[in-house]
Amino acid sequence: MPHSAEQAFAYLVDPRRRPEWQSSLLSVDVPEDEEPHLGQTWTELTVVGVRPSLEVVEFVPFRSWAERGTWRGVEATLRLRFIATKEGCRVVAEGEVTGAGVYAVAARSSGLLAGRAIAADLKTAGHRIAQRAEG
């Protein structure tokens, strides 16, 4: 991203901003005045009607952040690492989706699709950060 790690981190780890750049989200349920922090929890409403519960499980400002989400028999983790570069920063996303019982197939298929979706969403986030900086 052509933005500093500080800018990217501040924007990407704030669940209140997620519907602006994450294509699978319609809304998040988190207090408007709550700043991102370790242990923060919220729920989301996805475009397919799923309402996962999420929790921040890693929070190292401007370096790394991770969340764990659960919904019925599915658990997903997403970790973002922020690496400063001469041009801005590199955001490295790592994730895993697992499921138990009847949710195993859904988890496996969503995990296969997640990489491309996350890459597209991070590209959108980069554009949104630029718009905020200009505006």
Side-chain angles (χ1 to χ4, degrees):
M1 290 188 174
H3 312 290
S4 69
E6 291 83 0
Q7 289 173 304
F9 185 92
Y11 186 76
L12 290 170
V13 307
D14 190 341
R16 299 168 296 186
R17 301 279 178 225
R18 297 282 280 272
E20 296 175 12
W21 61 270
Q22 189 173 336
S23 61
S24 63
L25 285 185
L26 294 176
S27 65
V28 296
D29 184 16
V30 64
E32 187 59 36
D33 61 347
E34 184 175 278
E35 294 300 318
H37 62 276
L38 183 64
Q40 182 177 28
T41 61
W42 70 96
T43 57
E44 298 177 340
L45 175 59
T46 69
V47 295
V48 295
V50 173
R51 292 183 182 271
S53 297
L54 292 103
E55 178 182 6
V56 175
V57 295
E58 181 179 328
F59 192 95
V60 181
F62 320 129
R63 301 204 47 187
S64 65
W65 171 93
E67 69 181 14
R68 179 178 48 243
T70 57
W71 178 78
R72 300 192 181 178
V74 177
E75 182 173 301
T77 57
L78 173 65
R79 172 171 284 108
L80 300 177
R81 290 185 297 124
F82 299 81
I83 303 163
T85 66
K86 290 179 184 176
E87 299 82 26
C89 77
R90 182 173 195 194
V91 179
V92 178
E94 304 165 326
E96 181 179 20
V97 181
T98 60
V102 297
Y103 297 101
V105 172
R108 188 175 8 250
S109 62
S110 66
L112 293 173
L113 301 173
R116 287 186 183 164
I118 292 168
D121 287 344
L122 289 174
K123 185 174 182 178
T124 299
H127 294 303
R128 298 285 190 260
I129 294 167
Q131 290 171 344
R132 291 172 56 86
E134 294 170 359

